[in-house]
Amino acid sequence: MKKIVSSFVLLLLSISGYSQGHYSGSSFNPNDYFAPHEGLIIPVWYGFANMNYYNGQGKKTDQLINNFSGEPNSLTIKQNVKTHSFILMGIYGGKGKILNANWGMMLIPTLNSPTASIALDYYTQQTGAGTYNFTNKNVGFGDMYIQPVWLSWKAGNFQYALNYGVWAPTGKYEPNSLDNGGHGYWSQNIRVAVKYKPAPKINVSAAHTLEINHWQKKTDFKEGTHLTFDMGGSYLLNSRGDEIGVFGHFTTQISDDKGTEGSKLSDQVGGVGGFVSYWIVPKKIGAMARITQNFSAENRFAGTAFQTGINILIPTSKEEH
């Protein structure tokens, strides 16, 4: 089995911001944009993030200028938002071909404490100047990611992928609530990716993700569209399939928010990180750890995120993909 599947990870809620929507860059490891080996993969992950707010000049600050409703308000906010996420994924690699492509599907329900994006959602909905403190420690269901289209084609040392998924607003959402677990709107993710293998143990990849957001329930707000560029590489350590790698991303808002509660501010953020994976039971149970550090953040929370977990592989075929 040449395709190493222990690297799968998606921690899409851990480093997002109010004007970013659901998808966070560097949520995938470099090989994970491409359809998996035949079988069922069950990753179980924990993620921790330590975030601070950065203004439009890219400076960390306790002052948030809220211009979502009428005249701007200057809010003093509690910095250093710490978040926890628990993610159980279901990943299926299908048999045969669709459009001459390997194919798969993905389902990701999430359980998390309110993320930095939800904290910023709370802050930006305040209508008066003053000091606001986001102190909720509850854990609840978040929004769910569903990826029914996951296709990848091979051509020599290259591999190409087309992915389509949606975020369903399954997490609790009420305007101005401290214990929201979701964003209250649907998002569509369209992704194209390419991978190149310059040597037998080395892979490099790049991907573009377009996220199109819909109207938020119970508010007059529609999030702007975002474009994320991801890239990275991995190195195979041994014949067991243990692996190390690096990754990076840059996300920018490419259309304005809409509605009376829409912001006049656009956001952006970059990030770099690395991962290591190890087969506890070769080709059956794998462990991984990864870390991401944000940079160049504007009008959003950003910081450091760490994730660790295990991946359980249940193959349906002994043949190679």
Side-chain angles (χ1 to χ4, degrees):
M1 182 171 63
K2 294 181 179 178
K3 185 158 183 74
I4 304 304
V5 295
S6 66
S7 62
F8 276 100
V9 59
L10 270 170
L11 292 132
L12 304 169
L13 296 179
S14 61
I15 53 175
S16 57
Y18 179 80
S19 294
Q20 189 194 4
H22 288 96
Y23 179 70
S24 294
S26 296
S27 293
F28 287 92
N29 284 333
N31 295 324
D32 296 344
Y33 306 105
F34 308 90
H37 190 273
E38 292 178 8
L40 180 65
I41 307 166
I42 304 176
V44 183
W45 284 83
Y46 163 75
F48 171 78
N50 189 345
M51 300 289 157
N52 290 282
Y53 178 72
Y54 292 80
N55 62 19
Q57 289 72 50
K59 297 180 180 179
K60 185 169 69 174
T61 178
D62 295 323
Q63 297 297 316
L64 186 153
I65 306 301
N66 178 353
N67 62 349
F68 276 51
S69 302
E71 294 298 320
N73 297 311
S74 179
L75 311 180
T76 300
I77 65 176
K78 180 184 178 182
Q79 278 284 12
N80 198 25
V81 174
K82 294 181 173 64
T83 70
H84 304 269
S85 297
F86 300 91
I87 299 179
L88 173 65
M89 289 180 270
I91 297 171
Y92 178 72
K95 296 182 179 180
K97 304 280 187 177
I98 295 179
L99 300 177
N100 202 34
N102 297 326
W103 64 279
M105 295 183 289
M106 182 186 300
L107 179 68
I108 309 175
T110 59
L111 184 70
N112 56 271
S113 65
T115 62
S117 60
I118 292 172
L120 190 52
D121 189 2
Y122 167 78
Y123 287 132
T124 52
Q125 289 183 19
Q126 306 313 310
T127 58
T131 301
Y132 292 83
N133 192 357
F134 188 85
T135 58
N136 180 33
K137 303 299 182 183
N138 292 336
V139 175
F141 287 104
D143 293 341
M144 179 183 295
Y145 183 67
I146 306 164
Q147 185 170 290
V149 178
W150 195 358
L151 303 173
S152 60
W153 296 263
K154 290 183 179 180
N157 291 335
F158 286 90
Q159 194 168 357
Y160 307 92
L162 172 65
N163 306 336
Y164 172 78
V166 297
W167 281 95
T170 54
K172 176 185 177 295
Y173 180 81
E174 293 289 340
N176 271 317
S177 176
L178 270 171
D179 61 351
N180 285 331
H183 292 288
Y185 55 82
W186 291 81
S187 296
Q188 299 184 70
N189 284 185
I190 303 168
R191 179 179 301 110
V192 294
V194 61
K195 180 168 67 174
Y196 174 61
K197 183 184 287 291
K201 293 186 176 182
I202 298 174
N203 290 292
V204 293
S205 67
H208 281 84
T209 301
L210 182 71
E211 180 163 84
I212 303 169
N213 301 297
H214 295 257
W215 289 94
Q216 189 175 53
K217 64 182 181 181
K218 300 183 180 180
T219 68
D220 182 24
F221 172 69
K222 183 179 180 181
E223 178 110 14
T225 298
H226 282 75
L227 181 65
T228 299
F229 176 69
D230 290 287
M231 64 182 302
S234 64
Y235 179 77
L236 197 61
L237 294 171
N238 50 46
S239 59
R240 287 167 42 91
D242 303 328
E243 195 174 31
I244 59 172
V246 295
F247 49 78
H249 78 274
F250 184 76
T251 297
T252 186
Q253 186 174 341
I254 61 174
S255 72
D256 293 335
D257 300 336
K258 294 183 179 180
T260 58
E261 298 182 38
S263 172
K264 299 181 176 119
L265 305 174
S266 294
D267 72 282
Q268 68 172 41
V269 69
V272 293
F275 75 92
V276 57
S277 67
Y278 172 77
W279 285 104
I280 300 171
V281 179
K283 308 302 186 285
K284 291 183 179 180
I285 301 176
M288 183 185 295
R290 70 197 313 264
I291 189 169
T292 307
Q293 176 62 53
N294 294 137
F295 63 89
S296 298
E298 296 182 5
N299 295 317
R300 54 170 297 139
F301 276 90
T304 304
F306 171 79
Q307 300 91 29
T308 186
I310 62 172
N311 303 288
I312 301 168
L313 169 63
I314 305 172
T316 57
S317 173
K318 295 182 179 180
E319 298 298 324
E320 293 183 354
H321 225 11

